[in-house]
Amino acid sequence: MTPEQLSEVVIAAARTALTGRGLDPALLPPTATVERPRNPEHGDYATNLALQVAKKVGLQPRELAQAIADNLVQIAGVAGAEVAGPGFLNIRLDPAATGQLARTVVEAGAEYGRTQLLSGQKINLEFVSVNPTGPIHIGGVRWAAVGDALARLLRAVGADVGTEYYFNDAGSQIDRFARSLYATAKGDPVPEDGYHGTYIGEIAQAVLEKQPDALARPEDDAVEVFRVEGVALMFAEVKSKLTEFGVHFDRYFNEKELHDRGELASALERLRQQGRVYEADGATWIRTTDFGDDKDRVYVRSNGAYTYYAADCAYYLDKRQRGFDKVVIMLGADHHGYIGRLRAMCACFGDDPDRNLEILIGQLVNLVKDGQPVRMSKRAGTVVSLDDLVDAVGVDAARYALARYSVDSPIDVDLDLWTKRSNDNPIYYVQYVAARTAGVSRMAADLGLTRGDEFDPALLSHEKELDLLKSLGDFPGTVATAAELREPHRVTRYLEELSGAYHRFYDNCRILPRGDEPVTDQMRARLWLNDAARTVIANGLGLLGVSAPERM
């Protein structure tokens, strides 16, 4: 019995309790919160349902809890229910009800852990979105790992998710990039405000290979060639590197599209209709202070040029007009000041910032080796890039390490730790369970041991078996919470706890026969449990975009 199934059972018992007292069961919530108590001696699960609804139905919490308990113990699979404290209810399941979960997990396969919690929500998730002026830096790599995991989580709970990468391919940074390429191609020093690193020379050379006569053109024409070709080459490299990292976007959106289609002017007209536009000092302003921004924002400068904020407005409106209910934007630590202006922008369009917009801010990442910071990439110049991290630890370890911590916390990625082949390394610890469970299944097949159809869940009654089963039962709730709170790191910590439970089960409960020892029903039951653990480890790693190896 999963926690979700037990929740339904608790609500059913509560309905019966209220109906028997002539009270309205419609006053109950649709689900009951059931959690594993901190002290296992208190039972398998606990619920505070009685405390939640007692006042609403006109009963004392302990009285209601006892009424629910009296009905719970009549339900198959519930071994006991006891009232504790002011009205908590501690619940014990019989071994058969607990053990049945092993079969439930195996038969559900890849679907185990998936729900329809956010069904009906259409979410646009934008992440990474670094400028196409250089390789993806380590901060962007963090967003690649976390953003892709979050997209997988949201889809796992039923949301309709569109992932998007926004290329700022218009503006002054592109001009500096083009002039840096042009100067390098000519053999001149890069402009003081330009871009450095060996990649600039590589891109400049690649442009010349495509356009051999570029340097023979007038300067402005030549710079334009380097802009167009250089951005296209950088764009292609970024896409390629993200694909190698296992990150695929539903759409790559170019800022230039907004300009070419006249969407900045259209968004401005929409804001005029909302009464949020005024003219001052020769410029066009948006009255964002009406919605808590620290100052009004310029939309069109006095020279007639659109601002970056104008592009932000047009891009947000474009997403909403494509049918997305919520726009989620993941930004780096240096963009914290954008929260207020973007929320005000949302409100200026007539939307609700609490419902239609969500801003996630990620903190910095540092690489450490031999106890010292890794400060520079040979190729990118002054930053550590995606290639640097992947070359050091591999894709799986990089993704897992970056997703393992709350995004609002700065992290140090210790390269020595994440390359260790020992249980000190979290990804090794989890993937070893994936490989071990697969190995047990292979050895069982070699011995002619199959799970069979005659599964007796009551045979899974050992303390370590029950601990592992309870951990497996926590997976759907962990996925739901991680998706709702936008916290993929909850999945990594869960997988590490599950791995510990599996190791303890494996060390204490023999699965395979020895020598000529006959196969028993208990071995078959334990094989079901082994394969259930394999299923959940694979599902959990899959949500992080990490492989579940069959051999290590």
Side-chain angles (χ1 to χ4, degrees), residues 145-191:
V146 174
D148 189 62
L150 181 54
R152 294 165 186 256
L153 279 165
L154 291 169
R155 287 170 178 149
V157 294
D160 180 358
V161 181
T163 56
E164 202 146 307
Y165 187 120
Y166 181 64
F167 264 103
N168 301 97
D169 57 348
S172 60
Q173 82 278 3
I174 299 299
D175 294 335
R176 295 199 305 274
F177 177 63
R179 292 198 172 276
S180 300
L181 295 175
Y182 175 64
T184 301
K186 287 179 62 182
D188 293 342
V190 170

Side-chain angles (χ1 to χ4, degrees), residues 241-298:
K241 295 302 181 183
L242 286 170
T243 299
E244 291 172 9
F245 198 56
V247 177
H248 305 274
F249 287 90
D250 296 319
R251 181 169 183 173
Y252 285 90
F253 193 105
N254 291 41
E255 181 186 344
K256 194 170 181 294
E257 293 179 36
L258 298 171
H259 293 265
D260 293 345
R261 294 198 299 254
E263 291 194 39
L264 282 78
S266 298
L268 180 59
E269 181 57 32
R270 173 72 173 269
L271 291 166
R272 286 190 194 280
Q273 293 170 6
Q274 294 289 330
R276 304 300 171 194
V277 178
Y278 68 94
E279 311 292 328
D281 303 323
T284 301
W285 299 71
I286 310 301
R287 196 175 284 107
T288 54
T289 51
D290 288 352
F291 298 102
D293 197 2
D294 59 345
K295 62 181 180 181
D296 288 341
R297 301 291 166 177
V298 177

Side-chain angles (χ1 to χ4, degrees), residues 496-549:
E496 290 161 34
E497 292 174 5
L498 174 62
S499 297
Y502 178 82
H503 284 306
R504 291 186 289 274
F505 155 71
Y506 183 88
D507 291 341
N508 288 275
C509 303
R510 188 157 50 84
I511 304 170
L512 304 176
R514 294 172 178 165
D516 296 329
E517 184 181 8
V519 172
T520 65
D521 287 341
Q522 185 177 60
M523 292 175 184
R524 293 190 179 91
R526 286 175 173 171
L527 188 56
W528 277 97
L529 184 51
N530 175 83
D531 293 353
R534 165 75 188 175
T535 297
V536 175
I537 287 285
N539 291 356
L541 287 172
L543 291 173
L544 302 171
V546 175
S547 68

